[in-house]
Amino acid sequence: MSTHLTCGKLFDGLGETAADNQTIVIDDNRVSFVGPTADAPKPGGRDEIVDYSNDFVLPGLIDIHVHLSYGNAQANEDVDMYSPPEFRALRALAAAQKVLKSGYTSLADPASTNRVSTSVRDGINSGMFEGPRITSSGRQITSRQGLGDWYPSWIGVPESSVGVLVKSIDEAVEEIRLQVKDRVDFIKFTADGLNRNAKGELMACFNQQELTAMVEECHRLGVKCISHARGREAVLTSARAGVDILFHGFEMDQEGLDAVVESGATLSPALTFLVNTVEFTRQGDPCFKWRPNMNRNDVEIASEMLVEARKAGVPFMVGSDSGFAVTPYGEWHAKELEIMVKYLGFSPGQALKCTTSENSKLLREGNNVGRLADGVLADITVVKANPLDDITTLQDRDNLKDVWLGGKRVDLTPTEDFKPYNWEQSYRQWNDVYTRDRVAELAG
Ligand SMILES: [Zn+2]
């Protein structure tokens, strides 16, 4: 039995426009025909016909930046410490299912506690659970100067952290070998440090020699690598090292952009985290005093050079940095597309191409997803409104009509919001210090 989808408009993920009156035929879990309805094989008596003639049909959407193990964290301690890895794996599975129900049939997880992400991936792939296709990294590799080593040195990087500390090239190479042995799909490291120099520039946490050695080992073992590179130095050294994908790139300068162009690296800004922080952070949030202003400034700086990168033809992948309190699972994945259009000058069609066929280049399934063509896996997202006219409609839950994963229709009934377990979160209990003076002040 085949399934015939008659599509009013079809975006195949490879171009930047949609075609009218197309038909997709699904046999088992794959697409066996895509083309004009007039040329399509005629459905037989037992075939199912699904009418999307008033709808817009796209390849299943892909978010390459979902931190499944973070649990919508409100603090670094939530990410690294408070819940046991076993609980995080269960929570991550529920998170992945929320992502799927929002129209995203594939995701990549760049930085995960222990083996949480690979285990959820394998649980889904073995058929135990329904969930999106997952491409996983392990813990993100960092140095004593790096993101991920954010606790005092007398605490260090705990075993349960999303980061893993390496203290030499040998240790970095060893960690890469361990993660590949543990069947990660790609390696994530942070090139950014935590501190700025006298010029105000964010310093990188690895030097050129170290980064180059790490990238060489990843490529020798046949895995791609992603570098967290927001600062000028991190962008430049990551690109020169031959990193496949650079996350963020906010403080890239012209020299960095030239290096990115020359290396053929892909950029993936993940601006949703910043924009949501600016838009949502309220008085009473501990970061209210500093973070929204800083991130507003970041968005401005980032936009400038990322626009230049787009004009220079640098490939872009799309990710939302979901998993934090400002980017909860299943909520803001498509907002990154709106941001690409609004701040970086992409057309809606270009942004959609980035989040489908371009994003698929990182995935385990490669060009079997992220496009609608003969022979690919039948991962399909169907919406009512045309996102080429208004890209923000992809964020509207009522606009999502159907999701197909491997030729099967996904149940889109929303899962209930899970209430946080009391030991999932860090223990900050008061946002003020109640001295007698402060209490009198508050009393007015
Ligand atoms: Zn991230």
Side-chain angles (χ1 to χ4, degrees), residues 65 67 110 188 248 321 324:
H65 202 152
H67 296 291
K188 166 87 181 289
H248 311 307
D321 220 341
F324 294 95

Side-chain angles (χ1 to χ4, degrees), residues 269-282:
L271 287 163
T272 303
F273 181 92
L274 304 186
V275 172
N276 281 5
T277 300
V278 172
E279 291 179 357
F280 305 157
T281 307
R282 292 177 300 141

Side-chain angles (χ1 to χ4, degrees), residues 28 70 82 87 133 157 173 182 207 223 300 303 349:
D28 300 321
Y70 288 19
Y82 281 96
F87 180 78
R133 301 183 198 281
V157 181
V173 166
D182 286 348
N207 62 33
V223 291
E300 224 170 86
S303 303

Side-chain angles (χ1 to χ4, degrees), residues 70-76 78 324-325 425-426:
Y70 288 19
N72 296 338
Q74 291 170 263
N76 286 350
D78 299 350
F324 294 95
Q425 292 173 331
S426 56

Side-chain angles (χ1 to χ4, degrees), residues 97-104 330-331 333 394 400 403 412:
Q97 290 172 339
K98 267 186 178 276
V99 177
L100 175 61
K101 282 174 186 279
S102 73
Y104 280 71
E331 299 284 336
H333 306 283
L394 284 178
L400 183 62
V403 176
L412 296 181

